[in-house]
Amino acid sequence: MIVFQQLLKQRKLTLEKIIRDTRRLLAQAPEGILRIIPHKKGVQYYRRKDTKDYNGSYIRKEDMQLARNLGQKKYNQMLLKSAEKEQALIDNLLDYYESGNVNDLYDELNPSLQAVVSPLIINKNEQITRWYNTPYERMAISFNSPTYQSARKEDMRSKSEVFIAQILDKHNIPYLYEKPLTLKGYGTIYPDFTILDPYTLEEIYIEHLGLIMNLDYLEKNLGKISAYNKNGIYLGDRLLITYETNKNPLDLKLIENIILTRLHRAIIELN
């Protein structure tokens, strides 16, 4: 709902500019109303200076700029009316959402009433909380393998994954580490990160390729990426890939931009 309110505010700013520009143009428009009469050779244009002047004065070909200006004036008047109407509707919607809406109704109930009510609508924060609390078994780490702890005290397989977790935490992006995912025709895998798009509540997967100089490792992961795509989880959409090599160390700023760009696109698509 927060995203929808942001979109409404962006649209309101656009409308405010349209209204300002249109009012300025109307202030410069010529006096009168354009009257258009069908004619055997096309149309004829007349200028009516007031409502009592029904027929108006004929506009000659050499004065067609006047007809264009009066036509533009008519269009601008219609545009202004439409923009002001939409602006009023947006103002009403913003007032409604800022004072509460159906998603917040259950939270605003008296606790004694909440105790005997099953909400039909669960707000986004509650959905995210439930997603976080869904139990799962991650892939076991070998006894002799080194581990690195995230800020949440999670054992991770590499320092790079800890850095990626820090980026997600920095931007309050919900994530689960190595949550199992079954890909049809491939089997169960454990994506490095499963993140929940806070705008659309869609799951997005991040795979970090830290050993791509190893050909066997690379071949295995290319097969896994292919399986993602065959299951409708497309690279660059719901699958994000990060990587590093000895000559190309982890670029944290680039990773941050990749993640935030994907989430920002979700906002645009909601418009």
Side-chain angles (χ1 to χ4, degrees), residues 72-119:
Q72 187 66 44
K73 176 183 177 181
K74 178 62 176 177
Y75 166 78
N76 290 345
Q77 288 171 331
M78 295 169 66
L79 177 63
L80 178 61
K81 183 178 180 180
S82 180
E84 288 176 335
K85 181 179 179 180
E86 184 178 346
Q87 183 187 51
L89 290 172
I90 288 177
D91 285 339
N92 288 335
L93 275 173
L94 288 173
D95 287 343
Y96 170 70
Y97 286 123
E98 288 171 2
S99 62
N101 57 75
V102 293
N103 289 335
D104 300 323
L105 180 59
Y106 179 78
D107 293 337
E108 295 170 355
L109 295 179
N110 185 290
S112 58
L113 181 56
Q114 285 183 343
V116 294
V117 168
S118 296

Side-chain angles (χ1 to χ4, degrees), residues 155-191:
D155 287 333
M156 295 187 170
R157 299 175 191 275
S158 69
K159 289 182 180 179
S160 296
E161 290 176 337
V162 172
F163 292 143
I164 294 172
Q166 288 174 351
I167 292 172
L168 297 173
D169 282 333
K170 173 184 174 182
H171 294 283
N172 297 314
I173 300 170
Y175 78 83
L176 296 173
Y177 182 67
E178 291 191 344
K179 178 187 175 185
L181 171 68
T182 299
L183 297 178
K184 185 177 179 181
Y186 189 85
T188 299
I189 63 171
Y190 296 83

Side-chain angles (χ1 to χ4, degrees), residues 207-245:
E207 292 281 13
H208 177 66
L209 307 183
L211 300 171
I212 57 175
M213 296 301 292
N214 182 312
L215 292 181
D216 289 338
Y217 174 88
L218 179 59
E219 186 70 25
K220 177 183 176 181
N221 278 279
L222 287 176
K224 184 164 62 172
I225 292 170
S226 177
Y228 270 113
N229 287 317
K230 289 177 181 177
N231 279 264
I233 302 172
Y234 298 112
L235 183 61
D237 181 21
R238 292 181 57 211
L239 174 61
L240 306 179
I241 299 293
T242 63
Y243 61 89
E244 61 183 318
T245 67

